[in-house]
Amino acid sequence: IVLAMNDYPPPFQYQAGLIARYGANGALDTGFGINGYRSLEVQEPGDIYAGQLALDALDRVVLSAAQSPSVGATTYDALTIRLDANGDPDASYGGDGNGDRLFPGDISTASEAARRVLVHGQCDVVVVGSRYDPVSGTNAAWIARWCGS
């Protein structure tokens, strides 16, 4: 059992995504992250909003998310993050090992979020998201698919 949630780690200045992994017996999996938990703090001092997660064939966690450029910002950018089976960021995934931004456009005006994620096998990742542009008042849905390590 793997759960994604949002957390306000001390000193409570920003929001982080939090992944918890449990074994078949219902106890936290102490081989994952720190005592069964992995906090996701990709870009401090911004906030991370955890979305949906999926597991791939190698037991890696893929999380859809949104990330703001600063604490309390009203805009955010879509992001996916992949963790190894032990909870460490998968260094082979994305440009910096922590995630891929999908819509790297003008974060100052539009907000993008990766809402749902599906993993097929070891490499196919499909992400569905949304984009809101407050300047034009338009909403749009998007879908992205890629295959790679």
Side-chain angles (χ1 to χ4, degrees):
I1 299 171
V2 183
L3 301 173
M5 61 201 87
N6 294 308
D7 183 31
Y8 292 92
F12 309 108
Q13 295 176 346
Y14 60 92
Q15 183 168 321
L18 183 68
I19 307 294
R21 185 174 187 141
Y22 295 86
N25 63 358
L28 283 167
D29 177 358
T30 57
F32 181 83
I34 298 173
N35 298 322
Y37 296 101
R38 175 64 187 194
S39 182
L40 304 172
E41 303 165 21
V42 177
Q43 178 186 327
E44 289 187 66
D47 294 319
I48 296 283
Y49 302 96
Q52 185 185 28
L53 58 80
L55 297 176
D56 72 6
L58 297 177
D59 214 21
R60 297 176 296 197
V61 175
V62 179
L63 176 72
S64 63
Q67 176 181 342
S68 68
S70 61
V71 174
T74 58
T75 59
Y76 44 92
D77 209 3
L79 177 71
T80 58
I81 300 168
R82 187 167 75 188
L83 304 175
D84 288 331
N86 65 3
D88 290 336
D90 184 350
S92 70
Y93 185 79
D96 61 6
N98 290 325
D100 278 346
R101 288 183 188 273
L102 302 174
F103 284 103
D106 185 1
I107 195 168
S108 66
T109 60
S111 292
E112 300 89 18
R115 303 286 184 189
R116 301 288 184 258
V117 63
L118 172 70
V119 178
H120 180 264
Q122 294 181 22
C123 68
D124 277 336
V125 177
V126 178
V127 181
V128 176
S130 62
R131 181 175 201 271
Y132 174 70
D133 184 347
V135 174
S136 65
T138 59
N139 289 295
W142 54 265
I143 186 167
R145 177 185 176 268
W146 64 91
C147 184
S149 53

